[in-house]
C-alpha cells in the first residue's frame, strides 16, 4: 500500500528521521537535498508504519489509499523518483 | 569553564529563528532561548509570505513553537525591535550568544526606466498586503485593468498570479487579509502574464506549484516562447517541472474566463507611462550557453509592448545590513563561516545563505549554525552574560511596556481564529499592531 508525500511538502524532513527503513529521499546530507522540490517515499521499501505521517508537521504524508483527489498524481511521482534513484 | 547554563537570544521569529531555537533546546538540555520578534506575532514569512491558499504549510511554525515551549526553557519576546528597543550591543552583553535570523525582507529591483511609476510594485509588498502584514496594510493596488504582469520565474510569481486570479469565492474561504479580500472582490484582472528572461528549463517554479494550477478550472494556463521543452539532460525535479509546462504548452486554450500566461525568453526593458504605468516594453531573448554550462539570456532585436496597468517585480528577496555586523553588499548576506560571524555572534536562514530554498531548508541551515555555536560554548570561547535576565527585562520594559510573550501571542491567535469562526474562515487576520495588542489585553476585550 505504502505512504505518499504530496505537493504541500516543505522539506522539513522530520519524516526522514522517523522512517525506520530509510525509504525517504533525498535525505538531508545527500547532495540532491538542497535543490529538491520535495521529498519522496519509495513505495517498494515502505513498511506502512505510519511514523512519517505522524512526524510530518503539516500532514503532507498520507497513505496511498487515502489520497485526496488533488494529490492523486503524487503516488506515481513518488514511485518514479524511487525507480530513478534506487541504489 | 563556566557551568552556568547557556543563554542565547535569537532575533527574528520566522522559520529560521524557530528552527534554531528548537535545535538549540534539543542539543543542549540546559540551554535557555529568548526569541525576539519585531511583530507581536511569530511566523515571519511562514505567516506573511506563504499564500493564504497554502495555509497548511504555515502549520510548521506552530509545531516547532509547541516543541520549544515544551522544553520549559524558551521565551517569546514579540513587539520588540532589536536596534530600537534594545541595541545589538546590549543584547550581546546579556547573553552568551546571539543568533540573527532576520531574513531577507526587501526586494531586488529591476533597474529599468519607469520602475517607480504608480502601478509598478515589488511583489513582496503585494504579498505582505494580502497576508495582512502591518507594514503593508495601507498599500493600494490598482486592480481596474484586465491584465497584470509579473516579472520573475519563481514561486513568488506564481503566488502573485494565483492571488490575482483565484477569485473572491475561493479567497473568501482563506485567511487572506480583509482589506485584500475587499479589493480583490472588485478586481477586473482576467489575465496575468508571468515573464521569464530565460527558457522554461531554467525557471525556478517548483513542480508541485506548477501542477496545482491544473486544479483551477476557470483558468487557462498558456505557455508562450518556452524554448526547448526537451527533458533529456534534466534531473528528476526539473524533468517533472518541464513535463508540467509541456502539458500546458500542448494543451489548446479552453476558453476559460481567466488566463495565466507563462511567457519565457523575454526581458523587461522599460515600464512605460507618463503619470502611471501604461505598459511594459519587453525584448525577446535567445539563450547562449556560457563556458560554465549555465544558460544566459541574450537580448535580440524584437521589442514589443504589453499593455498593462499593473506590474510586479518578483526577481528575488534581499537581506538588509544589521547594525554592528559585517555585510556583503553584493550577496545581501552577513559573511559567516558555517553560521559563525564571530564567537558569540551567529546567523541562520536567509541572512546567512541568501534567499533560497523552502521552509524546511532552514532546518539544516539552523543545525549547522547551532553546531558552530555549541562548539564555541564548549570550548569556552563565549563570554558569560554581563547582566542578569531580570536586568535586561527591566531595561526592555522601560522602553517597550507592551512586550508580547507567548501567552499574549496565543491570545492574538485565539482572537483571530474566533473572529474567523463567525465568517466560516480559518481566521481573520489583524493587520495592525494596535489591533493585535488589543487582543492581548483581556480586560478591555471583554466589553
Amino acid at each position: 500500500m505504502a505512504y505518499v508525500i504530496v505537493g504541500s511538502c516543505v522539506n522539513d524532513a522530520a519524516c526522514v528521521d522517523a522512517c525506520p527503513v530509510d525509504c525517504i529521499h533525498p535525505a538531508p546530507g545527500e547532495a540532491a537535498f538542497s535543490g529538491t522540490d520535495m521529498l519522496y517515499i519509495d513505495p517498494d521499501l515502505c513498511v506502512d508504519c505510519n511514523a512519517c505521517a505522524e512526524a510530518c508537521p503539516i500532514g503532507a504524508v498520507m497513505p496511498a489509499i487515502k489520497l485526496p483527489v488533488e494529490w492523486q498524481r503524487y503516488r506515481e511521482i513518488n514511485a518514479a523518483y524511487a525507480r530513478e534513484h534506487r541504489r | 569553564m563556566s557551568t552556568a547554563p547557556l543563554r542565547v537570544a535569537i532575533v527574528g521569529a520566522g522559520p529560521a529563528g524557530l528552527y534554531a531555537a528548537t535545535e538549540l533546546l534539543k542539543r543542549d538540555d540546559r540551554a535557555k532561548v529568548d526569541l525576539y520578534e519585531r511583530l507581536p506575532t511569530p511566523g515571519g514569512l511562514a505567516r506573511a509570505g506563504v499564500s493564504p491558499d497554502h495555509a497548511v504549510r504555515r502549520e510548521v511554525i506552530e509545531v516547532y513553537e509547541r516543541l520549544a515551549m515544551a522544553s520549559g526553557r524558551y521565551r517569546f519576546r514579540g513587539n520588540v525591535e532589536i536596534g530600537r528597543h534594545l541595541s545589538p550591543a546590549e543584547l550581546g552583553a546579556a547573553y552568551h550568544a546571539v543568533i540573527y535570523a532576520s531574513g531577507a525582507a526587501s526586494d531586488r529591483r529591476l533597474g529599468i526606466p519607469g520602475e517607480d511609476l504608480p502601478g509598478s510594485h515589488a511583489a513582496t509588498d503585494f504579498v505582505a498586503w494580502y497576508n495582512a502584514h502591518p507594514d503593508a496594510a495601507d498599500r493600494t493596488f490598482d486592480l481596474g485593468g484586465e491584465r497584470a504582469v509579473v516579472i520573475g520565474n519563481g514561486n513568488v510569481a506564481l503566488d502573485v498570479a494565483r492571488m490575482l486570479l483565484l477569485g473572491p469565492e475561493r479567497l473568501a474561504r482563506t485567511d487572506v487579509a480583509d482589506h485584500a479580500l475587499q479589493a480583490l472582490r472588485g478586481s477586473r484582472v482576467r489575465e496575468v502574464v508571468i515573464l521569464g528572461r530565460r527558457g522554461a528549463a531554467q525557471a525556478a517554479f517548483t513542480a508541485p506549484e506548477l501542477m496545482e494550477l491544473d486544479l483551477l478550472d476557470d483558468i487557462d494556463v498558456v505557455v508562450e516562447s518556452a524554448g526547448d521543452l526537451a527533458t533529456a539532460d534534466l534531473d528528476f525535479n526539473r524533468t517533472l517541472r518541464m513535463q508540467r509546462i509541456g502539458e500546458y504548452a500542448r494543451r489548446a486554450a479552453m476558453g476559460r474566463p481567466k488566463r495565466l500566461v507563462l511567457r519565457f525568453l523575454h526581458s523587461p526593458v522599460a515600464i512605460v507611462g507618463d503619470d502611471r504605468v501604461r505598459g511594459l516594453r519587453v525584448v525577446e531573448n535567445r539563450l547562449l550557453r556560457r563556458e560554465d554550462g549555465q544558460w544566459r539570456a541574450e537580448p535580440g532585436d524584437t521589442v514589443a509592448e504589453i499593455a498593462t496597468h499593473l506590474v510586479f517585480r518578483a526577481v528575488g528577496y534581499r537581506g538588509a545590513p544589521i547594525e554592528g555586523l559585517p555585510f556583503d553588499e553584493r550577496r545581501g548576506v552577513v559573511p559567516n563561516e558555517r553560521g559563525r560571524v564571530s564567537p558569540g555572534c551567529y546567523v541562520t536562514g536567509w541572512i546567512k545563505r541568501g534567499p533560497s530554498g523552502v521552509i524546511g531548508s532552514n532546518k539544516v541551515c539552523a543545525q549547522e549554525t547551532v553546531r558552530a555555536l555549541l562548539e564555541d560554548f564548549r570550548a569556552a570561547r563565549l563570554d558569560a552574560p554581563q547582566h542578569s535576565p531580570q536586568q535586561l527585562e527591566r531595561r526592555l520594559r522601560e522602553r517597550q511596556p507592551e512586550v508580547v510573550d507567548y501567552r499574549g501571542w496565543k491570545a492574538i491567535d485565539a482572537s483571530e481564529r474566533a473572529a474567523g469562526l463567525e465568517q466560516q474562515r480559518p481566521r481573520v487576520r489583524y493587520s495592525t499592531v494596535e489591533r493585535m495588542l488589543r487582543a492581548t489585553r483581556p480586560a478591555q476585550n471583554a466589553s
Side-chain angles (χ1 to χ4, degrees), chain B residues 150-287:
Chain B
V150 187
I151 299 162
N153 263 192
N155 284 346
V156 172
L158 287 179
D159 285 343
V160 168
R162 278 201 328 282
M163 289 304 291
L164 286 167
L165 293 175
L166 279 176
E169 274 169 41
R170 289 193 187 96
L171 289 174
R173 295 195 293 266
T174 72
D175 63 2
V176 64
D178 276 348
H179 55 244
L181 181 58
Q182 201 180 346
L184 287 162
R185 272 188 209 284
S187 169
R188 295 181 58 199
V189 176
R190 294 292 173 269
E191 177 178 291
V192 178
V193 179
I194 298 181
L195 215 58
R197 70 193 155 87
R198 298 192 291 171
Q202 289 78 38
F205 312 124
T206 58
E209 311 270 326
L210 288 165
M211 288 170 70
E212 175 188 335
L213 301 175
D214 204 20
L215 301 169
L216 305 173
D217 55 12
D218 55 347
I219 301 173
D220 271 331
V221 180
V222 179
V223 176
E224 295 177 353
S225 313
D228 188 0
L229 286 168
T231 58
D233 300 329
L234 305 177
D235 67 12
F236 183 82
N237 287 288
R238 287 205 172 268
T239 301
L240 207 56
R241 299 174 185 182
M242 279 299 275
Q243 285 170 344
R244 302 291 86 89
I245 292 173
E247 280 176 16
Y248 294 127
R250 285 187 295 275
R251 183 186 293 176
M254 289 180 259
R256 291 170 170 177
K258 291 179 273 190
R259 281 160 47 99
L260 195 168
V261 182
L262 300 174
R263 181 174 301 165
F264 298 98
L265 291 170
H266 281 80
S267 288
V269 187
I271 298 174
V272 292
D274 32 30
D275 53 338
R276 56 151 302 114
V277 174
R278 306 278 173 196
L280 179 70
R281 197 168 299 143
V282 298
V283 61
E284 192 168 350
N285 298 326
R286 59 197 182 103
L287 283 181

Side-chain angles (χ1 to χ4, degrees), chain B residues 6 86 189 210 290 314 369 374 396:
Chain B
L6 173 64
L86 291 172
V189 176
L210 288 165
R290 293 194 316 211
T369 295
L374 289 176
L396 172 60

Side-chain angles (χ1 to χ4, degrees), chain B residues 323-343:
Chain B
E323 183 192 320
L325 268 61
F327 191 67
D328 180 336
E329 276 293 342
R330 195 180 56 82
R331 295 183 57 222
V333 300
V334 172
N336 67 91
E337 188 257 319
R338 291 182 299 128
R340 180 193 291 110
V341 182
S342 59

Side-chain angles (χ1 to χ4, degrees), chain B residues 283-357:
Chain B
V283 61
E284 192 168 350
N285 298 326
R286 59 197 182 103
L287 283 181
L288 292 179
R289 190 142 209 178
R290 293 194 316 211
E291 277 183 10
D292 61 4
Q294 295 287 313
W295 292 95
R296 187 169 60 85
E298 171 85 6
D301 305 321
T302 315
V303 174
E305 200 168 305
I306 306 172
T308 181
H309 283 192
L310 193 54
V311 174
F312 295 101
R313 56 180 182 274
V315 292
Y317 288 87
R318 199 184 146 72
I322 298 167
E323 183 192 320
L325 268 61
F327 191 67
D328 180 336
E329 276 293 342
R330 195 180 56 82
R331 295 183 57 222
V333 300
V334 172
N336 67 91
E337 188 257 319
R338 291 182 299 128
R340 180 193 291 110
V341 182
S342 59
C345 181
Y346 307 84
V347 284
T348 194
W350 280 3
I351 194 66
K352 166 186 172 186
R353 66 176 199 278
S356 68

Side-chain angles (χ1 to χ4, degrees), chain B residues 406-416 430 439-441 445:
Chain B
Y406 183 75
R407 268 174 66 182
W409 142 236
K410 289 321 270 184
I412 298 170
D413 187 34
S415 175
E416 284 190 342
Y430 299 147
T440 68
R441 303 173 199 136
N445 226 17

